[in-house]
Amino acid sequence: MAELTNLLDLEPAGLVRWCGELGEKPFRAKQLQRWIHQFGESDFDAMTDLAKSLREKLKTHATVAAPAVISDHTSSDGTRKWLLDVGNGNAVETVFIPEENRGTLCVSTQAGCAVNCRFCSTGKQGFSRNLSVAEIIGQLWLAERLLRRAKGVPAGPKGERQITNVVMMGMGEPLLNYEPTVAALKMMLDDNAYGLSRRRVTVSTSGVVPMIDKLSGDCAVALAVSLHASNDPLRDELVPLNRKYPLKELLAACKRYLAFAPRDFITFEYCMLDGVNDSPDQARELVQLVKGKVPCKINLIPFNPFPASGLLRSPRERVTAFADVLLQAGIVTTVRKTRGDDIDAACGQLAGEVQDRTNAPQRMTRAPVHVHRPSRPSH
Ligand code: SAH
Ligand code: SF4
């Protein structure tokens, strides 16, 4: 039998094309898409308004397969974390963060990451591989389905949506896995799938300048940029990609993006590292860097230490003092709250058994690898 097509891999236009190849009209693709993404259905026999002949065709040509769940934990604060198997010893994490009037899903785009930021445990793992479209959108598909099931919310467009916001802030650099990321974004926005507005979907990037520009044309969702430093020498050290795309170019790209963005600001993420990037002088330098240049919000993230990093979290007073400098300069600033600590779901605390591809000495212990997840996004 021919290999089955995983329908989670097909973005809306691709599903129309694929249905066309089966001799089906475009509206069938829409129906199918609604069954899969709105009802969370994977059993073709349950898709009752599709002709029986089509259902039979689907059974021999297609499947709806999200990554398998390795573990599923819920924190006392309601944060829920899934470890997902993406094959060959690779696992990625997805985290749901419930808040009073929204539910945010933090999704991964790669197993590991090649950018290798100093403070990031995903980076320390090295790069394993890019996730496929099905593995990215499958995180949303699966999480919505499981969350509804847990609450007894009916499937389908009338059932109350549990996930109202998506942030691509899990493992990996989304803009270095560009095509699958954009295909997944398109499904998130499509009315026959998740129907999320562009402002409720955020891509977080360490600053892949050409891809920021490309994203503005292909799928301009909200943008978060991981800044972490107020000058090039420091950023070169913390985010090695800065050597390729230095701050001037990065900020220019942010500015260009704003002409297309659904929000009129960029969110800058800034991970607070004790004695490294958290002084009042550095806060003032940060003000100089962005003020009057890029309309922005700054989100200060308390660093979640992991053993191999050799770095420490900035003390609370230092974070507050840093935030005060920014606020006094008129820059909207938030300090991200840590959620899900009791299930190791806070930033930098996630642990997945991810195959080591780096041979880095600190990984030779074969201890569980820590990956990060930012908690409570500011959007
Ligand atoms: N690769 C993208 C998206 C994933 S990282 C990016 O870098 O933007 C998402 C965020 O998690 C980044 O802003 C990063 O600063 C943060 N992060 C990484 N490791 C962390 C840690 N140990 N503690 C706190 N935040 C961390
Ligand atoms: Fe990659 Fe983002 Fe981690 Fe940097 S912070 S290593 S870009 S996942």
Side-chain angles (χ1 to χ4, degrees):
M1 197 169 70
E3 216 179 287
L4 299 177
T5 299
N6 187 354
L7 298 185
L8 291 181
D9 266 321
L10 302 180
E11 40 82 41
L15 189 61
V16 169
R17 269 195 306 276
W18 185 83
C19 283
E21 282 161 24
L22 281 189
E24 298 290 336
K25 300 235 162 56
F27 83 93
R28 290 286 179 213
K30 286 204 168 45
Q31 275 181 308
L32 189 53
Q33 203 181 312
R34 283 201 288 267
W35 274 113
I36 297 169
H37 295 291
Q38 294 185 347
F39 288 85
E41 190 53 76
S42 55
D43 176 3
F44 298 122
D45 277 329
M47 302 182 182
T48 44
D49 61 353
L50 299 183
K52 190 140 198 298
S53 58
L54 172 56
R55 282 188 260 153
E56 291 306 318
K57 248 193 274 182
L58 288 169
K59 280 198 270 184
T60 52
H61 288 86
T63 176
V64 177
V69 176
I70 298 172
S71 67
D72 177 347
H73 295 286
T74 303
S75 152
S76 55
D77 68 15
T79 302
R80 188 164 169 187
K81 178 185 82 168
W82 295 274
L83 180 66
L84 303 175
D85 184 1
V86 291
N88 295 329
N90 290 309
V92 295
E93 259 147 337
T94 303
V95 180
F96 176 69
I97 308 128
E99 286 171 277
E100 213 168 289
N101 42 23
R102 66 180 170 190
T104 303
L105 192 72
C106 177
V107 307
S108 296
T109 54
Q110 299 180 310
C113 181
V115 179
N116 197 12
C117 300
R118 268 283 311 278
F119 50 85
C120 174
S121 39
T122 303
K124 291 283 160 282
Q125 289 171 28
F127 175 69
S128 285
R129 72 166 174 84
N130 282 323
L131 298 192
S132 65
V133 182
E135 288 164 340
I136 301 173
I137 201 69
Q139 296 170 56
L140 179 52
W141 183 85
L142 194 69
E144 181 68 37
R145 183 166 135 131
L146 296 175
L147 289 164
R148 283 192 184 198
R149 207 176 275 171
K151 272 183 110 181
V153 175
K158 291 204 173 68
E160 190 199 342
R161 202 170 265 299
Q162 303 300 298
I163 297 163
T164 60
N165 294 61
V166 175
V167 292
M168 289 195 160
M169 293 185 181
M171 289 172 73
E173 169 49 56
L175 297 187
L176 290 179
N177 183 19
Y178 187 79
E179 300 296 339
T181 291
V182 168
L185 290 173
K186 286 186 173 160
M187 287 191 232
M188 292 174 197
L189 305 186
D190 195 283
D191 281 339
N192 290 302
Y194 300 91
L196 298 174
S197 82
R198 290 190 299 134
R199 46 193 305 132
R200 287 177 175 271
V201 178
T202 301
V203 165
S204 174
T205 180
S206 55
V208 192
V209 165
M211 294 300 148
I212 293 177
D213 284 318
K214 198 157 163 27
L215 187 68
S216 66
D218 291 340
C219 198
V221 293
L223 188 68
V225 172
S226 295
L227 207 54
H228 309 309
S230 50
N231 60 60
D232 279 318
L234 182 57
R235 195 164 190 272
D236 283 350
E237 236 185 86
L238 296 177
V239 184
L241 192 67
N242 195 66
R243 294 177 203 145
K244 199 163 177 191
Y245 306 115
L247 283 168
K248 196 160 173 251
E249 285 179 37
L250 177 57
L251 295 179
C254 290
K255 211 165 170 194
R256 290 193 295 275
Y257 193 85
L258 280 171
F260 303 88
R263 293 170 176 265
D264 53 7
F265 60 89
I266 301 286
T267 301
F268 287 126
E269 294 161 277
Y270 196 101
C271 185
M272 300 295 287
L273 303 165
D274 187 21
V276 175
N277 65 355
D278 63 348
S279 74
D281 275 349
Q282 284 161 325
R284 283 185 278 275
E285 194 177 33
L286 182 56
V287 171
Q288 291 306 313
L289 188 70
V290 298
K291 195 162 184 208
K293 293 175 189 132
V294 184
C296 63
K297 284 188 179 176
I298 295 185
N299 191 206
L300 302 176
I301 312 171
F303 170 62
N304 282 305
F306 56 99
S309 74
L311 298 162
L312 295 171
R313 176 187 286 194
S314 302
R316 182 106 214 129
E317 324 71 81
R318 223 157 151 85
V319 177
T320 315
F322 195 94
D324 281 348
V325 173
L326 301 178
L327 288 165
Q328 270 160 28
I331 297 174
V332 179
T333 306
T334 49
V335 179
R336 189 176 284 171
K337 287 208 182 98
T338 299
R339 301 267 311 252
D341 309 45
D342 56 336
I343 56 162
D344 284 354
C347 309
Q349 290 187 321
L350 303 181
E353 269 105 280
V354 179
Q355 201 172 24
D356 188 354
R357 300 284 160 89
T358 61
N359 295 325
Q362 71 269 26
R363 302 274 342 279
M364 297 305 256
T365 57
R366 311 303 308 165
V369 183
H370 287 78
V371 298
H372 74 262
R373 178 200 66 82
S375 57
R376 192 183 287 219
S378 60
H379 333 286

